[in-house]
Amino acid sequence: MGLTLTQKILAYKAGYEVKPGDLIEIDVDMVLGNDVTSPVAIKEFLKIGVKEVFDKEKIALVPDHFVPNKDIKSAEQVNIVRKFAREYGIVNFFEVGQMGIEHALLPEKGLVLPGDVVIGADSHTCTYGAITCFSTGIGSTDMACAMATGKAWFKVPEAIKFNLKGKLGKWVSGKDVILYIIGMIGVDGALYKSMEFTGDISSLSIDDRFTIANMAIEAGAKNGIFDYDEITEAYVLGRAKRNYKVFKADDDAEYVKTYDIDLSMIKPQVAFPHLPENTKSIDDVGSVKIDQVVIGSCTNGRLQDMEVTYEILKGKKVHPDVRLIIFPATQDIYLECVRRGYIEEFIKAGAAVSTPTCGPCLGGHMGILAKGERAISTTNRNFVGRMGHTESEVYLASPAVAAASAIKGYIASPEEVA
Amino acid sequence: MEGKAIKYGDNVDTDVIIPARFLNTSDPKELASHCMEDLDKNFKDKVKPGDIMVAGDNFGCGSSREHAPIAIKESGISCVIAKSFARIFYRNAINIGLPILECPEAASSIEDGDIVSVDFETGVIKDITKGIEFKSQPFPEFIKKIIECGGLVNYVKEKVV
Ligand code: SF4
């Protein structure tokens, strides 16, 4: 039987034939943790009693959720991680000033590469599938054991194929594609499975692909993964400091389902509270006034997202009733925004621009919502209370829609302002 | 292993297994004392060591908190049989040493209170009350070992130290 792209990577690492449902134990190429999950994993790691981690270069510790430290408790958590990193000589520990949001940072630094098996104690670890690797979220115990042994166990997943064609329209991006798909298949539509994106993907930039793979978990998927092409190569070359291997699905691979999607038909999408599957096309949104706009996160804090935000905001003003918070996802992206003059325009427009952090995305800090407040956000979850009070609301959308809404004061199409 | 079935429906999420308000502790006993209480107040009084939890689709959906399988295990539940599990729950359960089996046929047929036996070697689930047998995929060796060791940390410890 032919294998899908994900199954091919897992079979290669296992070194023997695999089929969906098989449980395998394989080597991992990168183990990730953040300031919330690493302290728990470190506690478990110490119970194992090994003297060293399996590989000082294959662990990435990225405090990003509550940094720069939000309070004493978060400072203590980060300190546990920092001390562990020093004591065990972890090469990839990212301090404030060098860090970024983990899922934007790792690919940017070339720490995850095509063909890799990556695990992270954070559910959005699935983001790196954009560059044709297998990456998935796991628990703290998994992280602890992988730090000791370099291994993790997996159940070989079945796959759903998304056969793409056509070109995205103006102001339509990867975020609209993934919201559209989740609206179609539901929040458990890909439970356990791989979402494999193939067909004509040439109109999707690498940043679009990161956004799409990032939200595979919002459909319940184990991972999301894209075919490898020139766009992947252009991104990876120059970042990779080691060799990598390119995999392709077999021609006779079996998928549990195939969806044909014409990208040119997708309109900007908005996910209404309180589930990412409650999507509507921008034309059907109606009148929704907003109090806050958040542009950033591991979903949409990359350069392309900043670029489209700039195009919409330049020379305009944020609506007086709206707070606009923009947080570029990494230091490099932030710096490039400064060089290109984006930050100046953001500030002139009336936006607050933040250093990289998860901040408001998980209701952590830097933009919490009060009771009854409503935000439109480029993040990935709009669960009850995700950005603050349990009676606040989060609408998910692309940076283009979010920026347009910031100007209008209600959820607006980019066409209304551009 | 043999026990009485305690049955629930679909989408039993980690918030009802162990509500977030009790996550300020990681003590298994304390967690177990609140296990399932938002779904079934009587759970902690009726559960007996060895009982088997049976549920529908998407068991354990929601957050990645390891406290959920820990609370179930500490309550005395010897195994969870469901139509399907949310994937992070699935691995967290095995990692902390709680055996779980996916078997849609068994999960629909078994009724609350039935006496059920499970053989992890063969993957055979028996509803002794009804006299019906079901087959689930048995665990491969290393997963069996993880569970026998009482979790991934112990398993790894045995291997590396
Ligand atoms: S930006 Fe949000 S979704 Fe992404 S890692 Fe941070 S908290 Fe999680």
Side-chain angles (χ1 to χ4, degrees):
Chain A
M1 187 188 106
L3 298 180
T4 73
L5 183 47
T6 301
Q7 293 160 6
K8 282 285 275 278
I9 297 175
L10 295 177
Y12 175 80
K13 292 280 177 177
Y16 50 82
E17 267 184 43
V18 303
K19 58 178 189 319
D22 285 357
L23 288 158
I24 56 170
E25 194 180 27
I26 55 175
D27 289 340
V28 296
D29 299 288
M30 184 56 70
V31 182
L32 161 76
N34 57 44
D35 48 330
V36 172
T37 54
S38 304
V40 184
I42 288 166
K43 202 171 123 201
E44 293 299 311
F45 174 86
L46 297 174
K47 284 187 199 160
I48 299 170
V50 286
K51 290 203 178 60
E52 294 192 313
V53 296
F54 84 106
D55 189 326
K56 295 180 170 69
E57 296 190 8
K58 290 188 179 172
I59 294 169
L61 300 175
V62 190
D64 57 358
H65 279 54
F66 298 113
V67 302
N69 300 146
K70 151 186 135 115
D71 53 19
I72 294 168
K73 263 183 150 172
S74 60
E76 305 281 359
Q77 294 296 99
V78 175
N79 231 353
I80 294 172
V81 184
R82 182 180 295 116
K83 280 187 187 142
F84 176 80
R86 282 188 191 144
E87 193 177 334
Y88 286 83
I90 309 293
V91 177
N92 299 301
F93 168 71
F94 294 93
E95 193 58 89
V96 168
Q98 301 139 38
M99 53 73 71
I101 299 172
E102 50 197 309
H103 308 307
L105 190 71
L106 264 55
E108 183 187 281
K109 298 283 182 204
L111 293 175
V112 290
L113 294 174
D116 280 359
V117 169
V118 182
I119 58 170
D122 188 276
S123 59
H124 291 101
T125 303
C126 53
T127 309
Y128 323 130
I131 53 170
T132 328
C133 61
F134 171 75
S135 63
T136 191
I138 43 86
S140 289
T141 297
D142 283 301
M143 180 187 170
C145 294
M147 287 198 297
T149 65
K151 288 184 191 300
W153 65 271
F154 300 102
K155 186 165 166 184
V156 177
E158 296 176 312
I160 301 176
K161 178 173 171 175
F162 294 87
N163 199 14
L164 309 181
K165 68 165 190 189
K167 255 182 79 125
L168 291 178
K170 178 90 178 141
W171 305 121
V172 182
S173 65
K175 185 59 160 289
D176 303 301
V177 176
I178 190 63
L179 287 178
Y180 174 83
I181 288 173
I182 296 168
M184 184 169 71
I185 70 173
V187 292
D188 61 355
L191 191 63
Y192 262 136
K193 300 181 177 63
S194 306
M195 295 171 79
E196 304 205 347
F197 299 93
T198 181
D200 182 6
I201 56 169
S202 62
S203 78
L204 295 174
S205 70
I206 203 74
D207 285 0
D208 287 325
R209 297 178 195 185
F210 279 124
T211 305
I212 293 171
N214 174 269
M215 288 191 71
I217 181 72
E218 266 66 60
K222 177 169 201 141
N223 69 316
I225 191 166
F226 275 83
D227 282 349
Y228 184 91
D229 65 2
E230 310 82 68
I231 295 174
T232 328
E233 186 167 288
Y235 181 84
V236 172
L237 284 182
R239 298 176 197 272
K241 290 170 210 80
R242 55 185 162 92
N243 292 332
Y244 62 87
K245 191 168 162 60
V246 175
F247 291 86
K248 238 177 94 209
D250 289 328
D251 292 335
D252 60 343
E254 283 180 27
Y255 301 90
V256 286
K257 215 166 191 173
T258 298
Y259 292 95
D260 291 303
I261 293 173
D262 182 352
L263 298 173
S264 68
M265 304 294 287
I266 297 176
K267 295 267 196 156
Q269 303 284 309
V270 178
F272 277 51
H274 291 285
L275 281 178
E277 69 183 19
N278 296 335
T279 55
K280 289 186 187 178
S281 154
I282 190 77
D283 303 335
D284 305 325
V285 164
S287 148
V288 182
K289 265 184 64 73
I290 45 161
D291 304 288
Q292 179 166 302
V293 178
V294 172
I295 299 178
S297 82
C298 63
T299 317
N300 281 121
R302 296 185 181 77
L303 197 58
Q304 175 184 307
D305 304 313
M306 297 298 126
E307 193 172 348
V308 72
T309 303
Y310 164 79
E311 276 172 35
I312 289 180
L313 283 185
K314 69 174 175 229
K316 303 205 177 60
K317 287 272 179 243
V318 171
H319 190 279
D321 296 341
V322 171
R323 310 170 307 254
L324 170 60
I325 300 165
I326 302 177
F327 55 121
T330 68
Q331 288 289 89
D332 276 9
I333 296 167
Y334 199 173
L335 183 58
E336 187 57 25
C337 289
V338 171
R339 287 198 188 111
R340 294 187 183 189
Y342 296 173
I343 303 291
E344 190 175 338
E345 284 300 322
F346 294 166
I347 293 172
K348 280 188 187 158
V353 187
S354 154
T355 190
T357 178
C358 290
C361 174
L362 81 160
H365 56 149
M366 308 280 296
I368 307 296
L369 299 174
K371 182 173 173 178
E373 285 194 320
R374 202 179 268 156
I376 185 163
S377 174
T378 69
T379 52
N380 48 37
R381 284 183 177 150
N382 54 352
F383 299 159
V384 173
R386 175 74 179 181
M387 201 173 273
H389 197 280
T390 50
E391 284 173 43
S392 60
E393 290 184 345
V394 178
Y395 293 69
L396 305 175
S398 69
V401 170
S405 306
I407 295 166
K408 287 291 182 187
Y410 56 83
I411 298 181
S413 162
E415 266 157 18
E416 288 183 52
V417 298
Chain B
M1 140 181 331
E2 193 176 307
K4 179 172 56 54
I6 300 181
K7 190 162 180 177
Y8 298 110
D10 291 339
N11 297 312
V12 173
D13 65 62
T14 49
D15 274 295
V16 301
I17 298 171
I18 181 72
R21 61 183 182 276
F22 303 120
L23 292 183
N24 50 6
T25 173
S26 50
D27 173 36
K29 290 226 160 40
E30 225 179 305
L31 292 170
S33 73
H34 298 293
C35 187
M36 308 302 287
E37 77 176 33
D38 284 5
L39 183 67
D40 176 4
K41 301 198 289 305
N42 302 321
F43 175 77
K44 69 172 182 290
D45 300 321
K46 71 183 181 201
V47 65
K48 301 259 165 351
D51 281 357
I52 290 169
M53 196 179 280
V54 181
D57 274 317
N58 207 15
F59 186 89
C61 59
S63 88
S64 66
R65 64 185 69 143
E66 285 185 0
H67 309 67
I70 290 173
I72 292 176
K73 187 183 176 195
E74 188 64 25
S75 310
I77 291 288
S78 62
C79 174
V80 185
I81 301 168
K83 285 189 195 165
S84 65
F85 292 93
R87 67 160 283 273
I88 299 185
F89 180 88
Y90 183 92
R91 61 183 310 123
N92 285 350
I94 289 174
N95 286 346
I96 62 113
L98 172 70
I100 57 176
L101 290 176
E102 215 174 72
C103 185
E105 299 77 31
S108 12
S109 164
I110 296 170
E111 285 176 83
D112 196 68
D114 288 1
I115 300 298
V116 176
S117 78
V118 177
D119 183 339
F120 295 112
E121 279 302 313
T122 58
V124 171
I125 300 168
K126 276 191 201 149
D127 184 330
I128 295 170
T129 309
K130 289 205 175 67
I132 319 176
E133 226 180 83
F134 310 92
K135 183 101 177 78
S136 71
Q137 210 183 359
F139 290 125
E141 277 316 305
F142 71 87
I143 297 290
K144 256 184 236 165
K145 274 201 205 110
I146 292 173
I147 293 170
E148 276 163 23
C149 292
L152 191 66
V153 165
N154 290 338
Y155 165 80
V156 166
K157 208 166 161 177
E158 263 180 35
K159 278 209 316 194
V160 297
V161 182

